[in-house]
């Protein structure tokens, strides 16, 4: 299943041919679930059971959905976890030691934006980080790695946009603030349930700009894979429905290049993961909104 947020209401969607079709979950369940994606996630185990019994499907008989109408699947999660240096090549390119346990920071909730957002650049040193993002569907603490995917509603594409000037202003880097400007957490285009993926631990990640490829990687190379992250996070905090886990970025970020390279006003950034779809952001200058 693919679950999208269409103007605030949870929809089952399916890309069929070149178009996107969808049905509203509150409608097809006679009001049992929804109306928002967050409401649906709060009731995720019961919804899974309903899906098993009713086998809902989207066809070309259903309504067309304009991809530009899609909002962030979870626009205001209670907790957002993000993992730093979770690929060896990326840890090396930013010259930070490979961690021995997951290195966790947060992106504050107001940084969330949708799959087709325009983002205001906070400085001339804003960087890209394509990531796979896990969405929690079942609350839990002390979750065993083998049970991790039963707590995950699905996966989506995310960008962990990062202001490197803010991040490395002090000798000790500061992650959470540097990565929490408005719009610095684009997510989407929808939540893909794990059963849609041949192997949820082997997704190809790609990030392109209008002038070419910036990042190419695979989640197979995560230092701490998704089950390990869920086990680690839940050994300390309770994971709640709708919580997000940004799982880390592969190499190819602008900060790791020589010379360093960053996003410019007018840039178009396309981030994708195999089986999860793609998101696209455009960037504008932080002064007077004019494109330089
Ligand atoms: Zn990141």
């Amino acid at each position: 299943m693919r679950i999208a947020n269409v103007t605030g209401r949870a929809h089952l969607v399916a890309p069929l041919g070149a178009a996107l079709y969808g049905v509203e979950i509150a409608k097809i369940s006679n009001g049992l679930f929804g109306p928002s994606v967050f409401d649906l996630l709060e009731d995720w185990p019961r919804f899974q059971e309903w899906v098993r019994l009713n086998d809902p499907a989207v066809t070309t008989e259903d309504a067309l959905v304009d991809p530009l109408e899609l909002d962030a699947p979870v626009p205001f999660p209670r907790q957002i976890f993000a993992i730093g240096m979770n690929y060896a090549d990326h840890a090396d390119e930013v010259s930070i030691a490979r961690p021995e346990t997951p290195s966790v920071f947060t992106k504050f909730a107001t940084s969330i934006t949708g799959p087709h957002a325009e983002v205001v650049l906070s400085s001339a040193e804003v960087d890209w980080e394509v990531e796979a993002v896990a969405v929690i569907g079942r609350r839990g603490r002390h979750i065993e790695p083998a049970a991790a995917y039963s707590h995950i509603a699905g996966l989506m594409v995310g960008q962990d946009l990062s202001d490197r000037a803010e991040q490395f202003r002090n000798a000790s880097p500061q992650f959470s603030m540097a990565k929490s400007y408005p719009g610095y957490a684009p997510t989407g285009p929808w939540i893909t349930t794990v059963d849609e993926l041949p192997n949820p631990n082997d997704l190809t990640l790609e990030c392109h700009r209008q002038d070419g490829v910036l990042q190419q990687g695979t989640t197979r190379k995560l230092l701490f894979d998704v089950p390990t992250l869920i086990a680690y996070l839940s050994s300390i905090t309770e994971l709640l429905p709708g919580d997000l886990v940004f799982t880390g970025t592969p190499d190819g970020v602008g900060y790791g290049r020589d010379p360093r390279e960053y996003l410019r006003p007018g840039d178009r950034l396309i981030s994708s993961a195999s089986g999860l779809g793609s998101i696209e952001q455009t960037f504008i200058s932080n002064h007077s909104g004019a494109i330089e």
Side-chain angles (χ1 to χ4, degrees):
M1 280 183 298
R2 294 175 183 82
I3 295 161
N5 176 2
V6 184
T7 58
R9 303 180 77 88
H11 281 61
L12 277 187
V13 294
L16 300 168
L20 185 66
Y21 294 84
V23 288
E24 193 182 333
I25 290 170
K27 252 183 217 159
I28 55 168
S29 69
N30 291 317
L32 275 178
F33 302 103
S36 72
V37 175
F38 188 79
D39 296 328
L40 183 67
L41 293 170
E42 285 268 68
D43 213 4
W44 187 251
R46 209 163 62 94
F47 177 64
Q48 282 182 305
E49 180 60 14
W50 181 86
V51 167
R52 201 178 61 77
L53 295 173
N54 293 277
D55 196 22
V58 179
T59 72
T60 51
E61 306 284 290
D62 292 312
L64 279 167
V65 175
D66 178 355
L68 296 178
E69 276 187 346
L70 300 178
D71 292 327
V74 189
F76 205 80
R78 285 174 286 204
Q79 306 187 95
I80 304 169
F81 304 91
I83 314 301
M85 291 75 69
N86 203 14
Y87 291 83
D89 291 341
H90 172 62
D92 295 348
E93 75 176 343
V94 295
S95 306
I96 297 179
R98 300 176 190 183
E100 279 162 36
T101 56
S103 173
V104 184
F105 59 93
T106 190
K107 290 174 81 70
F108 293 101
T110 54
S111 64
I112 293 282
T113 193
H116 300 286
E118 185 179 71
V119 178
V120 178
L121 293 168
S122 53
S123 79
E125 295 177 40
V126 180
D127 207 346
W128 51 84
E129 292 193 358
V130 62
E131 308 201 2
V133 177
V135 184
I136 301 299
R138 186 192 296 254
R139 72 170 58 219
R141 218 174 148 226
H142 300 300
I143 300 165
E144 293 294 329
Y149 278 113
S150 72
H151 286 262
I152 291 175
L155 297 168
M156 55 185 183
V157 184
Q159 255 295 336
D160 177 18
L161 294 169
S162 304
D163 186 327
R164 303 297 187 202
E166 190 61 34
Q167 186 174 0
F168 295 106
R169 192 179 300 287
N170 298 313
S172 168
Q174 164 145 268
F175 284 65
S176 299
M177 295 305 287
K179 293 161 172 269
S180 289
Y181 288 89
Y184 276 29
T187 52
W190 42 69
I191 299 168
T192 302
T193 54
V194 170
D195 58 292
E196 295 281 344
L197 304 166
N199 179 357
N201 293 316
D202 187 2
L203 306 176
T204 302
L205 297 176
E206 288 192 347
C207 175
H208 297 250
R209 193 161 50 180
Q210 68 279 356
D211 47 3
V213 180
L214 297 170
Q215 289 181 281
Q216 258 175 339
T218 160
T219 61
R220 198 164 21 87
K221 289 192 172 176
L222 281 168
L223 295 176
F224 303 103
D225 63 11
V226 170
T228 306
L229 293 176
I230 296 299
Y232 176 73
L233 295 170
S234 71
S235 74
I236 296 171
T237 57
E238 182 171 13
L239 300 184
L240 305 173
D243 285 358
L244 306 184
V245 183
F246 280 71
T247 56
T249 198
D251 61 317
V253 303
Y255 185 82
R257 291 165 185 247
D258 185 16
R260 288 180 176 152
E261 234 183 279
Y262 297 111
L263 291 163
R264 302 163 302 226
D267 273 356
R268 218 159 54 85
L269 190 70
I270 299 159
S271 313
S272 63
S274 53
L276 305 184
S278 66
I279 62 175
E280 179 176 330
Q281 277 63 52
T282 53
F283 295 88
I284 60 172
S285 157
N286 62 354
H287 38 83
S288 74
I291 291 180
E292 287 169 345

